[in-house]
Amino acid sequence: MPSPSPVPPSTAEGSSKNSPTKGSLSLGDLDAVEVLPASATAGWSSARQKRKWSQSGSTKDVAGPSSIALKNVDPSDGVGAFPKAMSLADYLELEGSDINLNINTYYYLVALGEGGIVVEGQTSAEKPHQHKQMKHVDPKIDEKYVEFKQFDIVGDHSDHFYSNPRERKVQVVNEPGKDWVKRIQHEWKVLEKDLPDNIFVRVYEDRLELLRAVIIGPSGTPYHDGLFFFDVYFPPQYPRNPPLVIYHSGGLQLNPNLYACGKVCLSLLNTWPGDGCEKWNPSNSTLQVLVSIQALVLNAKPYFNEPGFESYANTPRAEKKSIAYNQETFLLSCKTMLYSLHNPPKHFDDFIIGHFHKYGHSILIGCNAYMDGAQVGSIIGGVKAIDKGNKGCSTKFKGSLKKLFEELMMEFIGIGVDCHEFMIDTTLKL
């Protein structure tokens, strides 16, 4: 269904400031209120917030997508008031609206003024020139994603965690020896040649001691399709000592190995208990560290990474706890997706947008399936590829995921992901 064009009343046929467009609701302190689909309001952060508007001297709430569905009010009078329990679709049909409401699509009430579109509930008198625009979607988004190199040398390191090592209280690499430089250059060659498909790396032309990597969450795990960033620092004692690795946590402790402070607990980094070959030795490499994080930290059952829990693997009680743990981990992974979209590390902007443009649809399919009871990690590429059974989910998990689902959907719409099939039923009741 083609979306109705969001135009001001002054340019709409048969409309004026005091004569709202066909199928719209007139409110006393607004020029007009039009019904628009979510696709026409993509990127409006305030579209998810509760707003108030005044009608006939009374104040009513206009709620966002998390609470607008099936909500009743009973305006006693006023132009545009419609009876209690009458759906918005029924009202527009009664008024002869030429807006064809589509099922499974969100609709918002938004104010239209002389200056263009204004966020719902905001009067043109209060904010005469401010109106939220739709995000610009780069037409070359997919092309840039495909062309994004797995390994590349870049310049600006200003947002790297160890850009100023003194602030981080680590030893500065002042005058590196030939052996140190030679080893780093060797690391670069290994990374450029042998990186697995789901790991991308950037190194810095004038700061050999710095490296940044992103790992795509593996399929079949609660991290699937997520992006996990790490900043690496090679101290002067490298490779006698392991590199220092910090995780871009966004203030969230993702699992027992990735702390909210950014600490990465891994035997290979000497930050987690281990014996023999599990510990760091000079023959190890940065590639091994990254692959270990991918395989051992971002694994299918992080519950058993908790200290002392590994011995309970494959027992009924522990496996049940592991399923619940994966649900919580997936919620954190979704929050990490939002954090990456809002705070893209330098040199990865195009990659992040391209990644979620490509995988956003599959991520939302997974969210829907998990809310319906599918086991977290059972959805691969939008298809239930792993038969783990339908174990159901708690009300708390479902409610938390529903909120994150809506936030992710709004972000994905803003970067051009087709999300129409995920919109809720539009039998909205005000």
Side-chain angles (χ1 to χ4, degrees):
M1 179 197 79
S3 300
S5 301
V7 295
S10 58
T11 59
E13 183 178 351
S15 65
S16 67
K17 185 169 184 178
N18 296 317
S19 177
T21 57
K22 190 177 184 181
S24 65
L25 308 179
S26 177
L27 305 177
D29 60 346
L30 301 175
D31 293 315
V33 171
E34 185 68 272
V35 179
L36 297 178
S39 58
T41 59
W44 292 14
S45 61
S46 57
R48 297 195 298 271
Q49 301 171 357
K50 286 190 174 182
R51 292 283 183 173
K52 291 184 181 293
W53 46 271
S54 177
Q55 177 172 294
S56 303
S58 62
T59 301
K60 303 293 181 183
D61 283 350
V62 175
S66 62
S67 56
I68 194 171
L70 305 180
K71 187 168 184 176
N72 291 320
V73 298
D74 188 14
S76 57
D77 57 9
V79 179
F82 50 94
K84 183 176 182 179
M86 177 181 281
S87 73
L88 182 58
D90 290 340
Y91 174 76
L92 291 175
E93 183 178 355
L94 182 67
E95 292 293 301
S97 171
D98 56 3
I99 298 175
N100 181 24
L101 289 183
N102 188 22
I103 61 171
N104 299 323
T105 302
Y106 273 129
Y107 288 85
Y108 306 131
L109 299 179
V110 296
L112 294 176
E114 295 293 337
I117 301 176
V118 184
V119 177
E120 59 185 8
Q122 175 179 285
T123 67
S124 56
E126 293 171 334
K127 305 282 186 178
H129 302 297
Q130 294 185 13
H131 34 274
K132 188 79 172 180
Q133 300 294 328
M134 291 173 60
K135 291 182 179 178
H136 172 69
V137 179
D138 188 344
K140 295 185 177 181
I141 186 171
D142 294 324
E143 181 182 337
K144 289 180 178 180
Y145 181 69
V146 170
E147 293 177 351
F148 193 86
K149 296 179 180 179
Q150 272 200 280
F151 177 89
D152 203 4
I153 302 172
V154 295
D156 187 1
H157 53 75
S158 59
D159 73 330
H160 193 284
F161 185 81
Y162 292 105
S163 181
N164 188 337
R166 288 187 176 85
E167 286 185 358
R168 303 304 179 186
K169 298 181 180 179
V170 298
Q171 193 169 351
V172 179
V173 180
N174 284 320
E175 297 180 5
K178 290 183 179 179
D179 290 343
W180 186 91
V181 173
K182 186 176 179 180
R183 175 58 186 262
I184 298 298
Q185 291 173 339
H186 172 72
E187 296 274 359
W188 285 15
K189 290 179 181 179
V190 171
L191 291 168
E192 186 172 16
K193 179 183 177 183
D194 296 329
L195 277 172
D197 291 342
N198 61 346
I199 300 178
F200 293 75
V201 167
R202 292 295 177 265
V203 294
Y204 301 86
E205 57 186 354
D206 61 344
R207 294 288 298 274
L208 301 186
E209 74 273 26
L210 303 180
L211 178 148
R212 172 167 288 163
V214 61
I215 300 176
I216 301 174
S219 298
T221 75
Y223 312 102
H224 67 82
D225 302 315
L227 296 178
F228 306 94
F229 286 89
F230 301 86
D231 282 356
V232 180
Y233 181 78
F234 301 100
Q237 300 85 6
Y238 185 81
R240 293 193 308 275
N241 293 347
L244 305 177
V245 182
I246 201 79
Y247 166 57
H248 288 221
S249 70
L252 302 169
Q253 177 162 344
L254 187 64
N255 60 33
N257 302 85
L258 299 178
Y259 285 24
C261 64
K263 182 180 179 180
V264 179
C265 291
L266 188 68
S267 300
L268 197 57
L269 297 175
N270 294 342
T271 55
W272 188 264
D275 300 308
C277 62
E278 295 176 342
K279 304 284 282 185
W280 177 264
N281 71 70
S283 66
N284 294 134
S285 68
T286 311
L287 178 60
Q288 287 174 274
V289 170
L290 296 176
V291 171
S292 294
I293 293 174
Q294 172 197 325
L296 302 178
V297 176
L298 301 175
N299 63 35
K301 296 182 178 182
Y303 175 77
F304 297 107
N305 282 17
E306 291 280 4
F309 286 17
E310 184 179 3
S311 60
Y312 296 102
N314 300 317
T315 63
R317 183 179 179 184
E319 290 296 331
K320 184 177 180 180
K321 288 181 177 294
S322 177
I323 291 172
Y325 196 97
N326 276 9
Q327 292 177 347
E328 293 303 312
T329 302
F330 183 70
L331 294 177
L332 292 169
S333 183
C334 289
K335 291 179 181 180
T336 302
M337 294 179 196
L338 291 167
Y339 179 77
S340 296
L341 283 162
H342 298 159
N343 305 276
K346 287 184 183 298
H347 311 296
F348 284 90
D349 308 60
D350 290 337
F351 177 80
I352 292 171
I353 298 299
H355 172 84
F356 288 116
H357 186 260
K358 180 177 181 179
Y359 294 103
H361 188 267
S362 296
I363 292 168
L364 295 179
I365 287 178
C367 289
N368 259 343
Y370 302 150
M371 285 188 286
D372 286 341
Q375 205 172 127
V376 168
S378 65
I379 307 300
I380 297 180
V383 178
K384 190 173 183 179
I386 302 176
D387 187 10
K388 294 185 176 181
N390 190 311
K391 302 294 184 180
C393 62
S394 68
T395 301
K396 179 181 177 182
F397 169 72
K398 188 172 183 178
S400 297
L401 184 53
K402 182 177 183 293
K403 182 177 183 296
L404 288 168
F405 172 87
E406 291 170 353
E407 291 185 47
L408 285 169
M409 182 171 61
M410 292 299 292
E411 293 295 333
F412 293 163
I413 288 172
I415 60 175
V417 178
D418 184 358
C419 296
H420 284 92
E421 70 178 89
F422 304 109
M423 306 300 185
I424 63 170
D425 192 333
T426 55
T427 56
L428 310 182
K429 296 180 181 178
L430 299 182

